[in-house]
Amino acid sequence: MKLYSAPQAPNPRRVLMVMAEKGITDIDVINVDLMKGDNLSAEFRARNPLCKVPVLELDDGTCISESAAIICYLESLYPQPPLLGSMPAEKAIIDMWDRRLENSFMQPVGFCFQHGTGFFKDRMNVVPAWGEESMLQAQKFLPVLEQQLQQHPFIAGEHFSVADITALCTLEFARVIKLRAGDEYPAIQRWYSAMQQRPSYNA
Ligand SMILES: N[C@@H](CCC(=O)N[C@@H](CS)C(=O)NCC(=O)O)C(=O)O
């Protein structure tokens, strides 16, 4: 299998961290140059019509995009350690947090980056006011995360899960928009220190 990835991009990093947590070493990682627009080529578009990384290409040529879908596939192939939960309620709570993180944190951080910096202005309409609004939306999520982490060691509860990976990749990427969880968020800081100790942190 091949994983089309990009250095420093938060969504491919989610998949790379899952691979590291599960000890998956038999997937070739191919870096795509997003800045040069290699993901906009006809060849890449055939793998993902939305022209985004990550994409997992199976040995028969089937292409799976969307980080959550790729992670779900990897969890089926490599069930240990479980990152999507084992019991029905646990699975649902992990999925709930992962969706909250994608919709209410990663997406506004991404919009703020795109509309605030104009990084991809060659391929989209940049609306600076939308960037500002997205920053406010992303900021609103930090107290939600803080409250959850005051009550639990990990985002979805008592165990490390894919939700921690999505949160970490988003929080670190949020530096580009100068959004940080400062001293007013002690539980997030405690959790973040623990995340940095995991071997997958450097994936
Ligand atoms: N919903 C997708 C989002 C993928 C995405 O936005 N990827 C970014 C990198 S993190 C990308 O490929 N950007 C390149 C571009 O927009 O041209 C997922 O979960 O994988």
Side-chain angles (χ1 to χ4, degrees):
M1 288 189 281
K2 292 180 199 151
L3 180 74
Y4 292 87
S5 180
Q8 269 129 42
N11 283 296
R13 189 180 178 205
R14 291 163 71 190
V15 178
L16 294 171
M17 284 188 71
V18 165
M19 286 164 56
E21 288 284 341
K22 290 179 174 287
I24 302 171
T25 54
D26 57 351
I27 297 179
D28 294 332
V29 177
I30 297 169
N31 281 318
V32 175
D33 190 334
L34 299 182
M35 193 63 197
K36 263 175 56 194
D38 289 353
N39 55 314
L40 308 177
S41 67
E43 190 193 349
F44 192 85
R45 193 180 292 271
R47 294 192 178 93
N48 179 3
L50 300 186
C51 299
K52 306 276 185 193
V53 287
V55 175
L56 183 71
E57 187 173 320
L58 310 189
D59 293 341
D60 69 358
T62 303
C63 287
I64 304 172
S65 55
E66 294 302 322
S67 311
I70 295 171
I71 290 167
C72 186
Y73 179 73
L74 294 180
E75 177 97 344
S76 300
L77 285 190
Y78 306 85
Q80 297 301 326
L83 297 176
L84 301 182
S86 304
M87 304 306 286
E90 186 194 7
K91 285 183 180 188
I93 288 167
I94 291 170
D95 193 34
M96 172 183 78
W97 275 104
D98 210 37
R99 285 166 188 266
R100 285 176 174 169
L101 283 156
E102 277 195 339
N103 295 336
S104 303
F105 195 35
M106 181 170 260
Q107 202 164 69
V109 166
F111 284 150
C112 182
F113 168 66
Q114 291 166 352
H115 294 275
T117 67
F119 193 83
F120 289 133
K121 63 178 183 302
D122 61 330
R123 64 198 74 166
M124 60 177 284
N125 290 327
V126 175
V127 183
W130 181 237
E132 286 165 30
E133 172 59 23
S134 298
M135 172 61 115
L136 297 178
Q137 295 300 323
Q139 282 169 338
K140 271 194 195 168
F141 194 75
L142 290 177
V144 176
L145 212 50
E146 174 69 16
Q147 192 188 22
Q148 176 70 359
L149 289 170
Q150 276 177 4
Q151 291 161 9
H152 303 279
F154 298 102
I155 287 174
E158 303 315 299
H159 304 288
F160 177 84
S161 76
V162 73
D164 296 287
I165 291 177
T166 303
L168 179 83
C169 294
T170 307
L171 198 61
E172 291 217 326
F173 184 68
R175 288 178 188 156
V176 298
I177 60 163
K178 299 190 172 41
L179 176 65
R180 287 187 171 81
D183 293 343
E184 67 275 41
Y185 298 112
I188 296 180
Q189 290 192 348
R190 182 263 307 147
W191 164 86
Y192 180 57
S193 299
M195 291 303 106
Q196 288 178 301
Q197 304 307 314
R198 300 184 78 88
S200 63
Y201 176 75
N202 294 312

